[in-house]
Amino acid sequence: MLKDILTRNPLRTSHLESSFIVQRRGMAFLAAVFALAFLSSSFVFNRTDFQTSISAYYWTLDLERNFFVGVLCAVGVFLLLYKGYNRLEDRILDLAGISAAGVAFFPMDQTCDCDSITSYTG
């Protein structure tokens, strides 16, 4: 009985591998839609002005703000649930997931001038 539980089932392994692939594709899809949604909001639909920072879209219209928070939270959950090949990779993925949620709930200050960083001469 115990041997049957611990024996690797090729059908289940195939299912688990495909679920990881679906999860990866889901994160890539969300990242692509994230950028396209804000660009189309600015240039195609003329709903908002183009922002110099993706975080600045938090301070635009309600639809963009809700989309911003929702997608970042979804990506954060994806990253928290995703398992790496070793413990270090797991911790880095967890940190990335928490950071994504942090960006969603604590965006840049509304009065922040993003262009000022490009004028830094070092």
Side-chain angles (χ1 to χ4, degrees), residues 95-113:
L95 180 63
I98 292 167
S99 297
V103 170
F105 293 114
F106 304 104
M108 66 174 225
D109 187 23
Q110 188 174 6
T111 59
C112 177
D113 180 18

Side-chain angles (χ1 to χ4, degrees), residues 1-8:
M1 174 92 174
L2 183 59
K3 183 179 179 184
D4 292 334
I5 293 172
L6 297 177
T7 303
R8 186 174 173 162

Side-chain angles (χ1 to χ4, degrees), residues 17-122:
E17 289 171 354
S18 66
S19 71
F20 278 117
I21 290 170
V22 168
Q23 188 174 7
R24 287 179 189 166
R25 287 181 182 163
M27 285 190 289
F29 175 76
L30 284 175
V33 168
F34 193 60
L36 289 175
F38 291 129
L39 289 174
S40 63
S41 174
S42 295
F43 295 116
V44 176
F45 301 114
N46 294 322
R47 285 179 47 88
T48 61
D49 292 332
F50 178 74
Q51 305 297 316
T52 56
S53 167
I54 197 134
S55 189
Y57 280 96
Y58 180 88
W59 301 107
T60 59
L61 303 172
D62 284 341
L63 179 65
E64 284 79 4
R65 177 183 303 130
N66 295 342
F67 186 74
F68 177 86
V69 172
V71 169
L72 282 177
C73 287
V75 169
V77 168
F78 269 130
L79 291 170
L80 282 170
L81 295 176
Y82 194 79
K83 296 301 172 204
Y85 290 107
N86 55 44
R87 189 174 287 181
L88 175 63
E89 190 174 359
D90 282 341
R91 298 298 175 252
I92 292 171
L93 287 166
D94 291 345
L95 180 63
I98 292 167
S99 297
V103 170
F105 293 114
F106 304 104
M108 66 174 225
D109 187 23
Q110 188 174 6
T111 59
C112 177
D113 180 18
C114 296
D115 290 333
S116 63
I117 198 164
T118 59
S119 63
Y120 178 72
T121 58

